[in-house]
Amino acid sequence: MAEGIFRHLVAEAGLTGRFTIDSAGTGGWHEGEPPDRRSIATAKGHGIDISGQHARRIRSSDFRDFDLILAMDRDNVAALETIAPPEASIRLFGDIALRTGEDIPDPYYGGPAGFELVYTRLLTGCSSLLEALGAERASCSGNTSSVR
């Protein structure tokens, strides 16, 4: 959902050509699949279409191609740090986008309320992130990735 929300906000701001946005997982078990149907429904309920997204596993080139890689939880930060070169910029979404240090929970095993909660946290964080990146645009190429 983070990729779709951030893409939507960037498009609304008229900045589509200024950012490269993608998402990937640390595992490849869902590679090539669309988002969970409940994520699609939640995003659609808020006017965002994520049905065209497909899961992929993070690649070594991502650490070179993206200026900022955001992980949704500490376990993924740790997993990324074990495979990333030292110069990679890996941050916890809750630190940089929300400034709360919180992990974004995986709503997979819960009900619709969990997907709505995650959507709300991601929307808040993506809005703040876009505002921050807009202010820092002169020193950032705008390549952003999120990892679950």
Side-chain angles (χ1 to χ4, degrees), residues 47-59:
I48 300 172
D49 181 9
I50 63 170
S51 63
Q53 293 177 201
H54 289 89
R56 71 172 182 87
R57 188 175 192 163
I58 194 151
R59 301 180 287 256

Side-chain angles (χ1 to χ4, degrees), residues 5 9 93 97-98 118-129:
I5 292 168
L9 294 173
F93 182 87
L98 292 168
V118 167
Y119 175 87
T120 300
R121 299 310 295 144
L122 292 174
L123 178 62
T124 299
C126 287
S127 296
S128 296
L129 182 62

Side-chain angles (χ1 to χ4, degrees), residues 35-105:
D36 183 285
R37 62 178 169 72
R38 296 165 295 176
S39 290
I40 293 171
T42 300
K44 185 176 182 178
H46 294 278
I48 300 172
D49 181 9
I50 63 170
S51 63
Q53 293 177 201
H54 289 89
R56 71 172 182 87
R57 188 175 192 163
I58 194 151
R59 301 180 287 256
S60 59
S61 61
D62 291 333
F63 299 112
R64 178 188 65 247
D65 295 342
F66 290 92
D67 298 310
L68 178 62
I69 296 176
L70 299 175
M72 295 295 129
D73 62 44
R74 285 170 182 76
D75 288 341
N76 282 301
V77 169
L80 289 167
E81 288 175 341
T82 65
I83 60 172
E87 66 276 6
S89 180
I90 301 165
R91 303 286 302 276
L92 180 67
F93 182 87
D95 282 344
I96 194 167
L98 292 168
R99 306 237 186 264
T100 62
E102 70 189 84
D103 284 351
I104 300 298

Side-chain angles (χ1 to χ4, degrees), residues 2-3 6-7 10 18-24 56 62 65-72 89 93 96-97 126 129-130 133 137 140-147:
E3 175 188 347
F6 196 68
R7 279 185 190 281
V10 166
R18 297 179 64 187
F19 290 91
T20 301
I21 305 161
D22 201 357
S23 58
R56 71 172 182 87
D62 291 333
D65 295 342
F66 290 92
D67 298 310
L68 178 62
I69 296 176
L70 299 175
M72 295 295 129
S89 180
F93 182 87
I96 194 167
C126 287
L129 182 62
L130 181 57
L133 289 176
R137 196 68 182 119
C140 176
S141 69
N143 295 334
T144 307
S145 179
S146 65
V147 175

